[in-house]
Amino acid sequence: MSVFEIIGLCSKAFVLAPVAIGVAHYATLKKPYKVFLLFLMLYVVFDVITSYTSLNGIHNLPLYHLMTVVEFVFYSYMYHVIAKNTSYKKWILFIIFLFIIFAVLNTIYLENIYTDYNSNTRVVASLILVSYAISYFYRMLKELTVESVGENDVFWFNTAVLLYFAGTFFLSLFLKVFFDEAKKTEGFQEFLYQIYYLQYFLYIILNILLAKAIWVSQPSK
Amino acid sequence: MGQSAEQINNILLFLVGTFVILLMAVGFVVFVLIYKKRVFAQKHAFQELETKHHKDMLKIAIETQEKERRRIAENLHDEVGALLSLVRLNASRIYNEAGCEDMRGITDKTINVVDETIANVRRITKDLLPATLDKFGLEAALKELCQKVNEATDTLEISYDVQRENKNLNLPKELKLSIYRVLQELVNNALKHAEASKIIVNIHMNEDSILLKVEDNGKGFDMQKYYERKKSDAGLGLQNIKSRISVYDGKIDFVQDQSKGTIANVTFNIKSINDEE
């Protein structure tokens, strides 16, 4: 196992932080976080399978296609719960529906589920999730209902989403191109590794912030 | 490795794009935090200003009320009191010079009524203007109040205790008057509404606050109703108490036990005066 692979596995292990906090405080967890915990557990399974398959050279692209949709649905569900406005809630449901259709069409016509990395769906998902995050921050400033952000779980959750999906936006956009380049150009693989370090770093930040969100979401905190 | 111009462009676009978007995201979060902090600070400052204005208005209202009481008390003492004394003097003369027993009897009754009226005027004057408070301080005024209540009723026993953590604690005149008025109102309530036969008054003073505890063995009142009703629905006496204590960021709460009676706990925050000064 190379250094790159070890670092990758270590960063993936950080997803265990929010999972551990969620499981330890499951009884006092708010209902949306219980649902989100299910997603995080699903993500652990996904990480284990993709790590195993990539280490053993087994084809796993369909899993990435599927997980992007699952991830988008769970994050959107959280924003659906956070939203107070009924029309905003309806919009989120409508966007989820549209996204699923888009993802299906994308795999049929644009990015093959077995041969292509799903850049399109990841880029669109990132854009939508970043928009959710910005719109929540806008509402937070407009309504001024949250005084102590340190104790506000939604603030931490929202910050996690904004930083991770904004940070990985260009990665999602260019990853397919870089994969193709890596196949053609000798030594480009090394550059891809450097890019992945950024992804790992953002993934660690995401999980730390999600862990904080789950931690402060408990009624006693 | 040999990289084409397109590859370099893609790499540059990726690196610059990621750096800029991350910077924007972090900047956005920081902006939200700073902006929110600033707006909340403004909101708090406005609320403080509003509270201060409200307190100032209350202070002025209380001062006006006290001035009016003083004016009425002085008029009662100087004019009504003096005239009543004159009536009594003349009635005494008539009594001494009356020729028949009937006349003496009527005059005697008149003198008794005038004496009673003079005593009532004195009592009302003292209630309106607690001179003892001005001259001898809170403890003496409290003692006088208890004595008066004890003398006025045979069925009621009232006792008091004052504890000072700092013997040199010098309270402002307005605060002493407010404590006295609140106490007057609470004792009055215990007598009138609770039909108590025993009242215990405790005052505990320290550098930061004054705790006033009035305990009675009366029948109490409907606590649920008291806590549920709005400020505007409160009785006049209770409204007065609340107004006076709110000037000092104080609070009042009642503890009730059906078998033992009611305990009223009032807190005056002295620190609030010092902070304002």
Side-chain angles (χ1 to χ4, degrees), chain B residues 14-31:
Chain B
F14 165 75
L15 289 176
V16 173
T18 302
F19 177 73
V20 169
I21 204 167
L22 256 180
L23 201 69
M24 278 167 70
V26 172
F28 190 73
V29 175
V30 172
F31 165 77

Side-chain angles (χ1 to χ4, degrees), chain A residues 135-207:
Chain A
S135 97
Y136 171 76
F137 275 138
Y138 170 73
R139 204 150 39 84
M140 193 176 111
L141 292 182
K142 199 177 157 198
E143 292 170 2
L144 285 175
T145 45
V146 180
E147 184 163 2
S148 172
V149 288
E151 298 304 311
N152 184 259
D153 54 298
V154 183
F155 170 80
W156 292 108
F157 177 82
N158 207 45
T159 307
V161 170
L162 181 67
L163 292 183
Y164 180 73
F165 289 98
T168 54
F169 175 78
F170 278 92
L171 184 73
S172 306
L173 192 68
F174 282 98
L175 204 60
K176 205 169 90 178
V177 179
F178 291 154
F179 274 148
D180 292 340
E181 296 294 341
K183 283 176 199 165
K184 286 186 276 179
T185 317
E186 205 182 319
F188 202 86
Q189 194 71 31
E190 287 303 314
F191 173 68
L192 258 184
Y193 288 164
Q194 305 297 321
I195 290 175
Y196 266 110
Y197 285 134
L198 172 76
Q199 149 93 1
Y200 294 153
F201 171 71
L202 289 171
Y203 191 65
I204 291 170
I205 299 282
L206 171 81
N207 285 308

Side-chain angles (χ1 to χ4, degrees), chain B residues 7-8 25 29 36 40 42 48 53 57 62 77 79 102 104 120 125-126 135 157 184 193 203 212 229 244 277:
Chain B
Q7 274 181 356
I8 293 170
V29 175
K36 194 195 64 65
F40 267 107
Q42 280 174 352
E48 266 175 34
H53 176 71
M57 296 294 283
I62 290 167
H77 181 264
E79 293 174 24
D102 285 352
R104 276 181 176 238
N120 279 342
T125 310
K126 275 194 172 179
K135 288 178 189 166
E157 186 194 333
Q184 235 179 353
H193 306 301
I203 300 181
L212 181 63
R229 71 184 172 186
R244 285 183 187 275
E277 283 168 359

Side-chain angles (χ1 to χ4, degrees), chain B residues 131-153:
Chain B
T132 315
L133 187 73
D134 280 351
K135 288 178 189 166
F136 305 108
L138 187 63
E139 284 175 62
L142 181 63
K143 189 178 174 186
E144 190 185 65
L145 179 72
C146 292
Q147 269 175 358
K148 257 194 327 187
V149 175
N150 277 331
E151 282 165 14
T153 55

Side-chain angles (χ1 to χ4, degrees), chain B residues 104-114:
Chain B
R104 276 181 176 238
I106 292 167
T107 321
D108 190 38
K109 278 181 187 168
T110 308
I111 290 170
N112 285 340
V113 171
V114 173

